[in-house]
Amino acid sequence: MSKVAVFGAGYVGLVTGACFADLGHEVVIADILPERIAALRAGEVPIYEPGLDVLLERNRERLSYTLDVAEAVSGAEFLYIAVGTPPTYSGDADLSAVWTVVDSLEGVAGRAVVVMKSTVPVGTGEKVRHRLDARGLEHVGYASNPEFTAEGTAVRDFQHPDRIVIGAFEDADAEAVAELHSGIEAPIVRADVASAEMIKLAANAALMTRISFINEIANVCEATGADVVSVAEGVGLDRRIGSSFLRAGIGYGGSCFPKDSLALKQLAANSGYHFQLLNAVIEVNELQKRRVIGKLQQHLGGLRGKTIALLGLAFKPHTDDVREAPSLVLAGRLVAEGAEVRAWDPVVHGADVLPQATILGSPLAALDGADAAVIVTEWPELADLDWARAADLMRNPLLIDGRNLLDPRALRAAGWTYDAIGRASA
Ligand SMILES: NC(=O)c1ccc[n+]([C@@H]2O[C@H](COP(=O)([O-])OP(=O)(O)OC[C@H]3O[C@@H](n4cnc5c(N)ncnc54)[C@H](O)[C@@H]3O)[C@@H](O)[C@H]2O)c1
């Protein structure tokens, strides 16, 4: 069993640490936020990720938490970096937290391996290698081991991944990282460091491309009388295409896709290449988020003084993450149009998330007296709602189903004017 230090107690770092501990390794998780470390030490989980609480509790003996880099580094054979890499104003990834960790590594014993879990531009590993060498840490190894988990299913994704990607400068380091994953059944893709970094960015870009593709198909369906749900089913059953990421909606959000697409676009641009397709993917997504506003205007006329209920705030179900969520864009646009915004989400409660909106405790409370409702996140609670009762509560029972979650016929039978994405509007 190995000793693993994980820098960053966020979505990725906590899941990585908990899953390694579950494999039997001894794990210390380091962060710079005192309240986060105090909460973890007290047995509280600072984020909502299904199954994470159980895993942290089950492996309590093998997990510790610290604010002290030296304590994390002491005796560690693997130094995982899982800090945030948000976008800068230019769209490049902000690597300042990565550099803070790299520059704070002291007293690394033996051939510990620094492993990059954070999503970083191609070329970062090379730069980290130089920086380690310049700091007299030539004896320390380096590997890229990008993370492909999705929030909401991160624990399952880590434990049953489609593949484990490992890029290293030295074979022995790649083998050590592969060995660390013993117990997880998955193909291991060995690559050079730059290619491992690119695999992560390219995989995300491929998924976003599928989303923007099906959203454009949806928009053409709407204009021509076809139904994108049937179309996606018929297209997705083609084994050459597959059915995942063919669900039309109001666009992708979250802490990864938007920033990683910008980072790849910027990476290409910095290297003198105009990534035309990716630019279109990003633009289509931005326009898609705003289509709901057009639909509301079409049905209601002006939005000034109208009360609009947003159902779901998280960027997708089973997470409390609202970073780059379509709900934020929608709420901002609605307020700018003079509407009053109410919102409900089963796990996102804080008023600070959406100060322009009134956050209510149940879908029915959000719908009571509203002029229109928008399904922003496909939470299962919404599929199970009593929509006939909900229609009676509305001042005007108009529903824009931004995720094509519900059955149009059932909703119309329940008294709703129902509109969705890429489906006939009546
Ligand atoms: N969230 C995802 O679904 C996901 C999936 C795959 C890859 N990634 C990538 O993984 C990385 C982490 O993402 P996340 O969502 O976990 O971020 P996050 O914001 O949830 O967590 C980052 C954590 O790092 C901590 N941190 C910052 N500086 C630090 C330092 N110097 N030392 C120790 N800790 C420090 C922060 O306090 C925070 O707790 C990003 O590069 C992201 O792109 C994320």
Side-chain angles (χ1 to χ4, degrees):
M1 290 302 120
S2 300
K3 185 170 173 211
V4 183
V6 179
F7 293 90
Y11 288 87
V12 170
L14 281 177
V15 170
T16 301
C19 290
F20 278 142
D22 208 44
L23 288 173
H25 303 299
E26 196 188 320
V27 178
V28 49
I29 300 180
D31 205 287
I32 49 170
L33 301 176
E35 63 280 12
R36 189 157 274 215
I37 293 300
L40 286 161
R41 282 180 177 156
E44 292 157 23
V45 187
I47 56 166
Y48 175 77
E49 184 60 47
L52 180 61
D53 50 351
V54 176
L55 217 54
L56 291 174
E57 179 57 30
R58 186 161 79 210
N59 296 288
R60 216 161 24 138
E61 302 290 299
R62 281 191 287 273
L63 278 163
S64 58
Y65 307 97
T66 187
L67 290 164
D68 182 7
V69 177
E71 189 185 324
V73 168
S74 172
E77 295 145 80
F78 298 91
L79 302 158
Y80 263 84
I81 301 182
V83 297
T85 49
T88 57
Y89 284 117
S90 62
D92 293 283
D94 178 354
L95 297 181
S96 53
V98 168
W99 293 123
T100 302
V101 174
V102 171
D103 290 341
S104 66
L105 298 176
E106 301 274 354
V108 186
R111 186 154 187 96
V113 187
V114 171
V115 191
M116 189 62 71
K117 235 337 157 201
S118 297
T119 304
V120 293
V122 179
T124 303
E126 191 79 40
K127 289 182 188 152
V128 174
R129 179 71 270 165
H130 286 306
R131 193 101 148 215
L132 290 171
D133 293 349
R135 297 189 54 238
L137 293 168
E138 297 94 340
H139 62 287
V140 173
Y142 181 87
S144 162
N145 173 213
E147 187 49 65
F148 299 94
T149 55
E151 283 173 31
T153 53
V155 171
R156 191 193 68 201
D157 293 346
F158 193 98
Q159 293 176 330
H160 305 282
D162 292 340
R163 75 307 207 185
I164 296 164
V165 173
I166 305 171
F169 296 110
E170 302 288 339
D171 282 347
D173 295 334
E175 274 148 32
V177 174
E179 180 64 27
L180 184 68
H181 289 81
S182 302
I184 297 180
E185 285 298 314
I188 292 194
V189 178
R190 289 271 298 271
D192 58 72
V193 173
S195 304
E197 292 166 342
M198 184 54 105
I199 288 170
K200 171 64 190 170
L201 299 178
N204 271 1
L207 295 172
M208 287 178 265
T209 302
R210 285 177 71 102
I211 296 172
S212 281
F213 168 77
I214 200 65
N215 283 341
E216 289 221 282
I217 292 288
N219 299 343
V220 180
C221 283
E222 242 172 69
T224 55
D227 184 316
V228 74
V229 174
S230 314
V231 171
E233 187 191 355
V235 169
L237 283 171
D238 187 324
R239 262 176 296 181
R240 296 167 302 176
I241 298 171
S243 59
S244 61
F245 280 75
L246 280 187
R247 186 170 186 150
I250 52 173
Y252 58 76
S255 64
C256 287
F257 282 175
K259 93 172 166 61
D260 293 348
S261 58
L262 281 182
L264 179 53
K265 170 184 156 169
Q266 211 45 50
L267 177 73
N270 294 345
S271 337
Y273 183 73
H274 178 68
F275 199 151
Q276 193 146 330
L277 180 59
L278 188 59
N279 278 302
V281 165
I282 295 167
E283 193 184 344
V284 167
N285 195 60
E286 283 312 308
L287 294 174
Q288 197 69 12
K289 288 188 222 167
R290 287 160 177 77
R291 274 180 80 85
V292 168
I293 305 292
K295 282 176 181 287
L296 287 168
Q297 283 165 333
Q298 208 181 315
H299 288 280
L300 296 175
L303 297 178
R304 181 155 301 281
K306 296 287 187 333
T307 301
I308 313 293
L310 299 182
L311 301 176
L313 290 172
F315 83 94
K316 66 176 198 173
H318 310 294
T319 180
D320 60 352
D321 200 343
V322 292
R323 290 178 282 187
E324 302 282 335
S327 59
L328 306 184
V329 175
L330 276 179
R333 284 292 324 133
L334 287 169
V335 169
E337 294 291 333
E340 188 204 316
V341 180
R342 294 165 176 190
W344 163 85
D345 190 284
V347 299
V348 183
H349 301 302
D352 49 328
V353 169
L354 210 57
Q356 323 92 305
T358 311
I359 312 268
L360 290 143
S362 73
L364 292 181
L367 296 172
D368 196 359
D371 295 291
V374 182
I375 295 184
V376 186
T377 316
E378 61 274 39
W379 282 104
E381 287 87 335
L382 296 175
D384 298 339
L385 196 70
D386 180 346
W387 285 99
R389 183 163 163 233
D392 288 341
L393 292 174
M394 298 282 293
R395 182 152 54 204
N396 172 46
L398 166 65
L399 179 66
I400 311 290
D401 184 350
R403 298 294 178 186
N404 290 348
L405 176 69
L406 305 173
D407 174 18
R409 261 186 296 183
L411 264 285
R412 286 178 190 130
W416 287 86
T417 302
Y418 175 87
D419 199 352
I421 308 294
R423 318 196 76 179
S425 63

